Amino acid sequence: MAEYEKVLTRNVGVPRAYDIDVYESRGGYAGLKKALTEFQPDQVTDLVKNTGLRGRGGAGFATGLKWSFVPKGPMQKYLVVNGDESEPGTFHDRELLENDPHQLVEGAIITCYAVGITKAFFYIRGEFALGYHRLQNAVKQAYEKGYLGKNILGGGFSCDAYTIQGAGAYICGEESALLESLEGNRPMPRSRPPFPAVVGLYAGPTVVNSVETISNIPHILVRGLEWYTSLGTAPRNTGPFIYSLSGHVNNPGNHEGPLGLTIGELVNDIGGGVLGGRTMKAFIPGGASSAWLKGDCWDVKLDFDTLGGMKTMLGSGAQIVLDDQCCVPHAAVRLAEFYNHESCGKCTPCREGTRWMVKLGRRIIEGSADSKDIDTLFRIADRIGFGPPNKMTLCALGDASTSCITSTVRQWRDEWEYHAKHGRCPTPTGKPVNLAV
Ligand SMILES: Cc1cc2nc3c(=O)[nH]c(=O)nc-3n(C[C@H](O)[C@H](O)[C@H](O)COP(=O)(O)O)c2cc1C
Ligand code: SF4
């Protein structure tokens, strides 16, 4: 793997980098100063559009394009930074919040300047107590230094920022449920269209971006277009990326590299290989919501389009290794339980379907089912759809809940059959070696 200079995580491990003095001494807020003095707002949006930056929160939507959907005019507009990270296996935003909150605050102010926004909300997962308090302090320090508030750095632009803690529901990370939560309502996703860019928080135009996406922005301003597009594969899979690596691997953790490392580079060169020198049976390439790959996927590139072309996704940016001692049906049903627990219940196919997947999955695991039940399990999963052709649900949680079932029944049908017949795992010990989620 080629040499790589860390950008997004360059301050991780630097003592007190969450304090503004240390952050500034390492070049912090130079991006904001450059944006305010050398760029018109639209030029910032164009620059971000040209970099090809795509959202790191799950859907991979083009960031600059999203910003350009916000209508022009004097109405109140909002930025909502999504820090509700809670998908199993995903932990990059937490690290950014705890170690480098000013990078996020700076990125948010630049985003507001670009889009004509004067109010930014940071919505942070309730369990991230340390990250939340460091972010709160960063916002306070940014006000004290004149980076937030009225007439920022004397350039005429004004912006306020607010920090809010969630209360531990995965669905609050879904952007429209998050907006409901911010408004003080029960967090249930909204029907779309209209999309938040047009009708969002308090019915005003709203940009929703994830913590990692926004953390890219200061570096784009400072280092420029050419640098950004030199990382990854231009034009659609560019920039730095934080891989949250976990599971049966020697060196788990957040590893930054260019977008599009191969699975072999991530797991072997950076991750130190599979635990105990064992074989990789399965690989989850984009968080618990993504379809699983067979373990011989070493040359597959971890980017949006390669994975999309394989009917899986880069999703929330989490990669999970499962070795040859793992029981696939057990691990899949464990994930199905998570989605069943987190379904908000608004749509019948998701509310009932996730429950049925768990019930039937458990029956198969216990051996009180037969081959036909595996077909039924697959059919139930296949009918909870957000995207085309089914469009049965209001948000992507419905679809996400099915990936662990459909992809494993397709590729490890023998393991599901073995369980249905014998009521035990097809692993060397006959016992489950569960996914640590
Ligand atoms: C159930 C569910 C949970 C989600 N959780 C998060 C989350 O914790 N953080 C996040 O940034 N995006 C999450 N998303 C994606 C958001 O809806 C939205 O697409 C994202 O915040 C947009 O930011 P981006 O364009 O920067 O990726 C979730 C989506 C779904 C369906
Ligand atoms: S798909 Fe599931 S989580 Fe999403 S709105 Fe419908 S019931 Fe709620």
Side-chain angles (χ1 to χ4, degrees):
M1 214 195 87
E3 278 283 297
Y4 176 81
E5 182 204 344
K6 285 181 186 170
V7 185
L8 302 173
T9 56
R10 78 196 196 292
N11 285 334
V12 173
V14 173
R16 304 192 70 81
Y18 46 82
D19 265 341
I20 200 159
D21 293 344
V22 178
Y23 181 70
E24 285 187 313
S25 72
R26 295 175 56 78
Y29 287 103
L32 175 63
K33 288 172 189 159
K34 195 167 175 188
L36 294 180
T37 53
E38 296 178 26
F39 287 75
Q40 292 301 313
D42 280 350
Q43 290 174 319
V44 178
T45 301
D46 286 344
L47 173 64
V48 172
K49 236 189 215 172
N50 292 337
T51 60
L53 168 63
R54 291 170 72 175
R56 306 312 199 212
F61 195 83
T63 305
L65 186 63
K66 184 188 277 187
W67 294 2
S68 68
F69 290 155
V70 173
K72 306 262 181 236
M75 71 288 260
Q76 180 65 58
K77 305 176 193 112
Y78 302 96
L79 169 67
V80 173
V81 178
N82 190 342
D84 195 49
E85 180 177 72
S86 37
E87 181 148 325
T90 316
F91 43 85
H92 42 82
D93 289 352
R94 176 182 185 167
E95 186 144 272
L96 292 174
L97 286 164
E98 290 180 359
N99 290 277
D100 209 351
H102 278 290
Q103 175 177 245
L104 177 63
V105 172
E106 184 183 0
I109 304 166
I110 299 170
T111 304
C112 290
Y113 173 69
V115 188
I117 292 170
T118 54
K119 286 190 193 301
F121 290 82
F122 296 92
Y123 187 99
I124 308 300
R125 178 177 173 182
E127 289 91 336
F128 289 176
L130 179 63
Y132 178 74
H133 289 300
R134 287 197 174 155
L135 178 69
Q136 256 190 331
N137 194 47
V139 167
K140 186 170 152 272
Q141 291 180 330
Y143 269 108
E144 286 163 2
K145 284 269 180 162
Y147 297 138
L148 275 168
K150 292 216 182 329
N151 192 21
I152 294 171
L153 300 178
F157 172 64
S158 302
C159 186
D160 286 307
Y162 309 87
T163 54
I164 287 98
Q165 274 180 300
Y170 173 60
I171 194 60
C172 287
E174 196 282 334
E175 58 183 15
S176 64
L178 192 160
L179 298 178
E180 289 292 321
S181 170
L182 266 180
E183 290 180 7
N185 303 322
R186 190 170 170 177
M188 284 178 151
R190 296 175 179 173
S191 172
R192 281 151 289 188
F195 290 93
V198 182
V199 181
L201 187 64
Y202 307 124
T206 305
V207 168
V208 184
N209 273 134
S210 80
V211 166
E212 187 179 328
T213 309
I214 295 292
S215 297
N216 274 259
I217 305 300
H219 305 290
I220 291 176
L221 267 295
V222 171
R223 294 171 183 239
L225 179 63
E226 221 168 281
W227 162 77
Y228 199 89
T229 52
S230 72
L231 301 173
T233 326
R236 288 178 49 83
N237 294 279
T238 51
F241 193 82
I242 307 175
Y243 302 86
S244 293
L245 180 64
S246 67
H248 303 132
V249 63
N250 282 310
N251 186 16
N254 285 318
H255 301 290
E256 183 183 335
L259 188 56
L261 290 181
T262 65
I263 292 170
E265 284 170 326
L266 180 66
V267 175
N268 291 327
D269 302 352
I270 298 175
V274 181
L275 265 185
R278 293 193 289 270
T279 310
M280 185 162 79
K281 182 192 275 189
F283 185 77
I284 307 182
S289 302
S290 63
W292 300 20
L293 298 174
K294 281 268 195 183
D296 58 1
C297 53
W298 301 109
D299 295 331
V300 172
K301 275 186 160 199
L302 290 161
D303 68 33
F304 295 105
D305 292 341
T306 304
L307 293 172
M310 298 174 75
K311 302 264 177 291
T312 182
M313 61 179 181
L314 192 56
S316 61
Q319 289 75 34
I320 304 172
V321 175
L322 298 123
D323 74 15
D324 53 12
Q325 299 195 2
C326 165
C327 169
V328 166
H330 260 103
V333 172
R334 179 67 192 89
L335 287 183
E337 284 168 351
F338 168 79
Y339 287 101
N340 175 227
H341 186 262
E342 298 299 327
S343 165
C344 82
K346 192 169 180 177
C347 325
T348 307
C350 173
R351 183 185 64 240
E352 298 302 319
T354 53
R355 192 167 65 90
W356 272 106
M357 282 193 297
V358 170
K359 273 190 135 181
L360 203 47
R362 282 195 192 136
R363 281 225 301 265
I364 294 167
I365 281 178
E366 286 158 10
S368 45
D370 61 25
S371 190
K372 281 206 300 274
D373 292 314
I374 301 172
D375 295 329
T376 307
L377 176 67
F378 187 90
R379 240 185 1 259
I380 293 169
D382 207 30
R383 287 183 186 174
I384 312 172
F386 171 57
N390 291 346
K391 291 201 167 177
M392 301 283 279
T393 57
L394 280 170
C395 91
L397 187 145
D399 256 354
S401 72
T402 67
S403 303
C404 56
I405 299 294
T406 51
S407 66
T408 61
V409 170
R410 268 199 201 102
Q411 300 177 93
W412 289 273
R413 173 97 193 191
D414 54 332
E415 291 205 17
W416 284 97
E417 294 279 359
Y418 188 94
H419 249 296
K421 191 163 173 198
H422 302 287
R424 65 191 282 275
C425 304
T427 54
T429 59
K431 293 197 180 111
V433 183
N434 261 347
L435 188 64
V437 288

